[in-house]
Amino acid sequence: MKNLLLIAYLDLKESIRAKWFVVYSLVFGGLIALFFIAGVTESQVMGFSGLSRLLLMYIQITIVILPIFILITTVRSISGDRDSHVLEYMLSFPISLKQYYWGKVIGRFITVFLPVFFAMVIAVVYGALKGAAIPWSIFFLYTGLLFAMSSAFLGIAFFISSFVKSSEVALGLSFFIWIFLLAFIDIALISLMMQERMSSGLIIFISLINPMEIFRVAAISLFDPQLTVMGPVAFYILDSMSQTVFVLVSIGYPLMLGLMFAFLGYKIFEKKDLV
Amino acid sequence: MIKVTNLTKKFGSNVSLDNINCEFKKNESIALMGANGAGKTTLVRSIMGYYHPNSGEVLINGFNPIKNRLDVLDHISFVPQLPPPIKLSIHELMEYIEVSAKVDKELIKHYANEMKLDINANINKSFFKLSGGMKQKLLIAISLAKKSNIIIYDEPTANLDPKARDDFYRLLKQNEEDKVLLFVTHRLEEVRDLVNRQIYMDLGKIVSDERF
Ligand SMILES: Nc1ncnc2c1ncn2[C@@H]1O[C@H](COP(=O)(O)OP(=O)(O)O)[C@@H](O)[C@H]1O
Ligand SMILES: [Mg+2]
């Protein structure tokens, strides 16, 4: 336990000094600043108002860019240390592979989760100071979604980093996974739907295996289902499942997915040569 | 203390260790020699438990270094062939070692001092920003401060100036009692006074093994 925390703590310190972390924090902090400058909280469009609208825009953009950020910064964490022989030295001390690997996962998780979370906190605090009502239910749901999203993509990134050899392949894989989840699945499903060979229930189920789709639907699940922005998938799901159940699934499933991939990554890490 | 039995390690079709058998006992100081690519580093890494062998096994005090990592590594000090680009600061690296291996930081500083490396002046510098020789000195200081009864050095003097080498051999001489010292080197004349056994490897096999 002591070693696990030690490794998480040192990885955190190391990451915070890294250039990518500065860029990462600036992007999400800057996003919030931009919303305020643009006066998003003051506009009254389509039934959303004030902070809710700002948070919704924030989460919708975050769903798109957070995964690729996490993937490209983490996808070489283990394999990079193996290739540069950092593992060879660091693991010459009595630290178990389990503590080392999970310590790295925890350290990285804190590094990627805290900036996106704090950006949202800053938005809420700043909005409250300007007199806006704080939409607590949305705030808590989005905190859960950010948590689940970070864990899902961090797990995938650690999984890849446990076996991939070159940085080029690692980056290529990251972009492929991102684009695939972001767009290709939807396009494929739409074309299937056009052919009308599958039941809509099945199509919805398949689309919900995709964590990115889950986040998209969950992000708007607290709003009025009559809203036109919702789209057919979201409408169907929220119509057929209770809101509470769906919210739990939308946080629990990506979390499990992340843990499962991280665990597979650990199994590979354990089985492979360390140098 | 170290027993290697029928150990074979291949990388693809390349046989790096070919059915190696050897045993290292207390109070033995071994110079492990051989041309580049002979398999010295592969043998050292197998002893450390980094490689999963294709066949055969390594036992250290009766423990398997892969299955019983912690029991084995508790007793080993290791300096690799090349200092890796660790991004932690010296302070953080020492903290890592103090917590994980219970090595006293002050003792590391003491040995660093003996090696003419001023740790306090570099304490917040990233390890990889030190010069090659400074890195090597720090790793050596750590290996001595760890007080292990197995000390493994994979060509540790490559980046050291002659003065630093003398310091290093002097410290090692004071610390080799009741231990196993495994020393990969190309310069036997330098370690002559230090070692009492010489093993020569070629193409993954031990081709000569002499005691003196
Ligand atoms: N990780 C590895 N992957 C592929 N081949 C390797 C690896 N490590 C060592 N080898 C090969 O094993 C042989 C022995 O290497 P090594 O043990 O490093 O030699 P030495 O330390 O005696 O110079 C060499 O032919 C080397 O190319
Ligand atoms: Mg070598």
Side-chain angles (χ1 to χ4, degrees), chain A residues 158-214:
Chain A
F158 266 90
F159 170 68
I160 296 173
S161 102
S162 68
F163 62 84
V164 77
K165 276 255 181 271
S166 77
S167 337
E168 287 81 13
V169 175
L171 286 182
L173 260 177
S174 303
F175 277 107
F176 174 76
I177 290 169
W178 181 59
I179 294 283
F180 181 75
L181 294 182
L182 200 61
F184 287 176
I185 290 187
D186 283 10
I187 295 170
L189 283 176
I190 288 169
S191 72
L192 277 178
M193 259 191 281
M194 304 268 237
Q195 295 168 4
E196 289 182 8
R197 273 201 226 111
M198 292 162 87
S199 76
S200 56
L202 186 59
I203 286 169
I204 304 267
F205 174 77
I206 293 173
S207 76
L208 280 187
I209 293 175
N210 177 358
M212 225 113 121
E213 187 64 43
I214 290 236

Side-chain angles (χ1 to χ4, degrees), chain A residues 125-134:
Chain A
V125 170
Y126 187 77
L129 288 180
K130 293 192 81 179
I134 300 177

Side-chain angles (χ1 to χ4, degrees), chain A residues 92-137:
Chain A
S92 72
F93 297 94
I95 286 233
S96 73
L97 299 186
K98 204 180 263 164
Q99 288 165 336
Y100 190 83
Y101 181 90
W102 291 105
K104 285 272 169 193
V105 171
I106 292 169
R108 248 338 138 85
F109 182 85
I110 296 171
T111 324
V112 298
F113 176 71
L114 282 189
V116 288
F117 175 65
F118 274 133
M120 200 165 71
V121 171
I122 289 169
V124 167
V125 170
Y126 187 77
L129 288 180
K130 293 192 81 179
I134 300 177
W136 287 113
S137 56

Side-chain angles (χ1 to χ4, degrees), chain A residues 40-95:
Chain A
V40 170
T41 45
E42 273 103 60
S43 66
Q44 291 278 347
V45 197
M46 296 189 300
F48 309 100
S49 63
L51 274 177
S52 324
R53 179 166 176 74
L54 181 140
L55 291 179
L56 177 62
M57 281 174 76
Y58 175 68
I59 200 94
Q60 283 177 329
I61 294 176
T62 304
I63 289 169
V64 176
I65 60 180
L66 183 65
I68 190 67
F69 252 115
I70 293 180
L71 285 169
I72 57 183
T73 55
T74 309
V75 87
R76 285 278 288 154
S77 54
I78 296 286
S79 57
D81 282 355
R82 183 189 291 129
D83 288 356
S84 63
H85 296 187
V86 168
L87 282 186
E88 176 183 26
Y89 188 68
M90 299 308 270
L91 291 176
S92 72
F93 297 94
I95 286 233

Side-chain angles (χ1 to χ4, degrees), chain B residues 7 9 11 16-17 39-47 51:
Chain B
L7 186 68
K9 176 67 187 171
F11 295 101
S16 297
L17 294 179
K40 305 179 297 292
T41 298
T42 310
L43 178 59
V44 162
R45 287 176 176 164
S46 305
I47 291 173
Y51 287 144

Side-chain angles (χ1 to χ4, degrees), chain A residues 2-3 6-7 9-11 13-14 17-18 81 84-97 99-100 269-275, chain B residues 9 11 45 48-52 69-70 73-74 76 78 80 84-89 91-93 95-97 99-102 126 139 142 146:
Chain A
K2 187 183 60 182
N3 285 342
L6 170 74
I7 288 165
Y9 169 70
L10 291 177
D11 187 74
K13 274 180 99 173
E14 194 180 304
R17 279 198 300 265
D81 282 355
S84 63
H85 296 187
V86 168
L87 282 186
E88 176 183 26
Y89 188 68
M90 299 308 270
L91 291 176
S92 72
F93 297 94
I95 286 233
S96 73
L97 299 186
Q99 288 165 336
Y100 190 83
F269 174 62
E270 204 184 33
K271 289 275 173 317
K272 272 181 76 117
D273 291 343
L274 291 174
V275 196
Chain B
K9 176 67 187 171
F11 295 101
R45 287 176 176 164
M48 299 291 295
Y50 296 153
Y51 287 144
H52 295 259
R69 261 185 74 76
L70 304 186
L73 294 179
D74 241 349
I76 300 186
F78 171 65
I86 295 167
K87 293 199 192 73
L88 299 177
S89 70
H91 173 75
E92 290 160 353
L93 181 62
E95 195 175 328
Y96 173 80
I97 291 158
V99 176
S100 65
K102 293 157 207 75
S126 245
L139 297 191
I142 291 168
K146 190 164 177 259

Side-chain angles (χ1 to χ4, degrees), chain B:
Chain B
M1 282 207 253
I2 302 178
K3 193 167 171 19
V4 177
T5 322
N6 299 331
L7 186 68
T8 296
K9 176 67 187 171
K10 299 178 191 165
F11 295 101
S13 59
N14 182 353
V15 183
S16 297
L17 294 179
D18 190 357
N19 201 25
I20 298 269
N21 284 288
C22 58
E23 191 165 356
F24 305 133
K25 297 207 171 93
K26 200 156 139 181
N27 283 316
E28 283 190 324
S29 295
I30 306 107
L32 181 57
M33 307 189 62
N36 293 324
K40 305 179 297 292
T41 298
T42 310
L43 178 59
V44 162
R45 287 176 176 164
S46 305
I47 291 173
M48 299 291 295
Y50 296 153
Y51 287 144
H52 295 259
N54 293 78
S55 62
E57 71 168 352
V58 175
L59 288 178
I60 288 150
N61 299 325
F63 289 115
N64 179 312
I66 296 176
K67 292 191 194 108
N68 306 93
R69 261 185 74 76
L70 304 186
D71 298 311
V72 167
L73 294 179
D74 241 349
H75 301 289
I76 300 186
S77 287
F78 171 65
V79 175
Q81 190 164 357
L82 290 172
I86 295 167
K87 293 199 192 73
L88 299 177
S89 70
I90 313 267
H91 173 75
E92 290 160 353
L93 181 62
M94 290 202 303
E95 195 175 328
Y96 173 80
I97 291 158
E98 180 163 54
V99 176
S100 65
K102 293 157 207 75
V103 176
D104 183 4
K105 267 188 202 144
E106 292 309 313
L107 204 54
I108 300 179
K109 287 187 184 171
H110 164 77
Y111 283 113
N113 219 26
E114 297 272 313
M115 294 288 302
K116 312 284 181 301
L117 170 69
D118 185 355
I119 287 200
N120 288 328
N122 296 293
I123 194 93
N124 289 317
K125 239 190 221 167
S126 245
F127 177 80
F128 79 98
K129 292 205 172 124
L130 300 178
S131 78
M134 288 161 90
K135 285 181 206 163
Q136 208 79 306
K137 286 178 181 178
L138 180 58
L139 297 191
I140 288 171
I142 291 168
S143 73
L144 293 171
K146 190 164 177 259
K147 299 284 172 215
S148 313
N149 46 29
I150 298 173
I151 303 185
I152 300 178
Y153 289 123
D154 195 350
E155 301 186 40
T157 58
N159 288 312
L160 296 183
D161 55 54
K163 176 80 186 56
R165 269 181 219 173
D166 290 344
D167 288 332
F168 171 50
Y169 293 130
R170 174 175 53 79
L171 288 170
L172 211 50
K173 190 84 196 152
Q174 294 165 4
N175 281 287
E176 69 177 338
E177 211 161 284
D178 287 339
K179 296 183 176 162
V180 170
L181 175 65
L182 182 59
F183 211 108
V184 179
T185 180
H186 291 292
R187 292 178 250 232
L188 186 62
E189 67 288 356
E190 273 184 20
V191 293
R192 193 105 231 179
D193 295 342
L194 222 51
V195 302
N196 53 25
R197 185 174 170 191
Q198 179 196 359
I199 292 181
Y200 213 91
M201 288 183 72
D202 193 28
L203 299 174
K205 288 183 195 292
I206 292 180
V207 289
S208 84
D209 185 348
E210 299 168 38
R211 285 163 221 259
F212 41 82

